[in-house]
Amino acid sequence: MKIGLVLCPSFQPVCFGAVAAFDVANKQAGEKVYDVRVLSEEGGLVASSSGMQVMTDPIDDARYDTLIVAAGLEIPTSSPGLVRLLRAAARDARRVAAICLGSFVLGDAGLLNGRRATTHWRYTQALQDRFPSCEVDMDKIFIADGPIWTSAGMTAGTDLVVGMIERDHGSDIARSVAKGMVMYHRRSGGQSQHSTLLDLGANEDRVQRVLNYARQNLAENLTVDELAEAACLSPRQFTRLFRAETGTTPAKAVEALRVEAAKLMLEQSRLPIEVIAREVGFANRERMRLAFARVLGEVPRAIRNDAGPLAAL
């Protein structure tokens, strides 16, 4: 399968980490199942956002199985030539993808019309405003809508490529690739772009230690006394420090962590909702439903239905 990585001026070098997954897949398969070429509008050297220059081939009439557009840290300006070349190449490609803000280039080429897509959360509204016929999902790691694949942030491009490998060669190879790349956690397309731990924003080591402890022990009761013990503080000292660091109470933080974990299980598995509720410490599905309504404004059943076929990807 011939893969074309299309570089825009001032592209982010981290995109090469994503396409490296194709090389790992070749190694795991024991043969060259992917042939990656680096392309640009005119060929030659293309400078990255960090100043590194990469030699590229010009986009030509060759047929590519997959085209992946990589951009930089700002919304790219798509030249008429690039739009024309990409639009022509996409007609013969089995799929076309964008890493992060490369989705704007796909939109300029008319490839997002009538499609679902995503991009970095900071720019999702701009993508929606610019391409109103596209249904922009503001909270997904990556989306595959037919032949069009788009990812959220730069590192989510690796999740997107591993998802492609799974589509092409099955889950065993995809898991092997993720393990070979030492990916901390292989994320599905349906996973949220946001992290509860990052949102809580604790800088104090004792509070961060407690949050990590809670995330690893969600099935336990996680009372204030237990959390305070993990922080080596009295319950009163702990509660005061926790609120000062996070702006919320320990109970609300634990609830948010449980909702995040349950949401991921709803999107990535077909476990019964009752089982998921127990696994993350909600005791029963009704308590989980009420927590989802408070934290997300949605019920678990709706989230599972929205995940669709990507729940297992």
Side-chain angles (χ1 to χ4, degrees), residues 33 57 73 85 153 168 189 199 216 220 223 236 262 267 270 300 308:
V33 294
D57 295 324
L73 297 174
L85 290 167
D168 296 340
D199 289 343
Q216 295 166 12
E220 305 299 324
T223 62
R236 179 175 295 180
E267 293 167 337
R270 286 298 180 232

Side-chain angles (χ1 to χ4, degrees), residues 236-259:
R236 179 175 295 180
Q237 288 174 318
F238 168 70
T239 301
R240 187 185 307 118
L241 176 64
F242 192 93
R243 184 183 283 276
E245 280 289 306
T246 67
T248 189
T249 65
K252 288 183 178 179
V254 168
E255 181 180 70
L257 288 170
R258 284 176 168 148
V259 166

Side-chain angles (χ1 to χ4, degrees), residues 88-101:
R91 284 197 291 266
D92 293 326
R94 180 167 63 99
R95 61 192 169 200
V96 182
I99 297 174
C100 197
L101 299 184

Side-chain angles (χ1 to χ4, degrees), residues 243-300:
R243 184 183 283 276
E245 280 289 306
T246 67
T248 189
T249 65
K252 288 183 178 179
V254 168
E255 181 180 70
L257 288 170
R258 284 176 168 148
V259 166
E260 181 179 63
K263 182 174 183 289
L264 185 59
M265 293 176 73
L266 287 166
E267 293 167 337
Q268 293 193 14
S269 78
R270 286 298 180 232
L271 288 172
I273 293 178
E274 187 72 35
V275 171
I276 293 175
R278 291 197 301 269
E279 286 288 323
V280 300
F282 279 122
N284 58 62
R285 63 186 298 161
E286 178 59 19
R287 288 187 181 181
M288 186 167 83
R289 186 188 68 79
L290 293 173
F292 268 61
R294 282 192 295 268
V295 176
L296 300 178
E298 294 185 90
V299 296

Side-chain angles (χ1 to χ4, degrees), residues 101-152:
L101 299 184
S103 55
F104 284 86
V105 180
L106 298 193
D108 288 337
L111 301 178
L112 298 185
N113 294 339
R115 299 284 186 183
R116 290 177 63 238
T118 192
T119 192
H120 190 282
W121 59 267
R122 187 174 282 121
Y123 296 93
T124 51
Q125 190 58 57
L127 186 70
Q128 185 66 82
D129 292 343
R130 187 157 159 179
F131 308 107
S133 66
C134 172
E135 181 186 343
V136 179
D137 194 319
M138 302 184 179
D139 195 39
K140 294 292 185 289
I141 291 296
F142 69 86
I143 289 176
D145 186 355
I148 305 300
W149 294 56
T150 49
S151 81

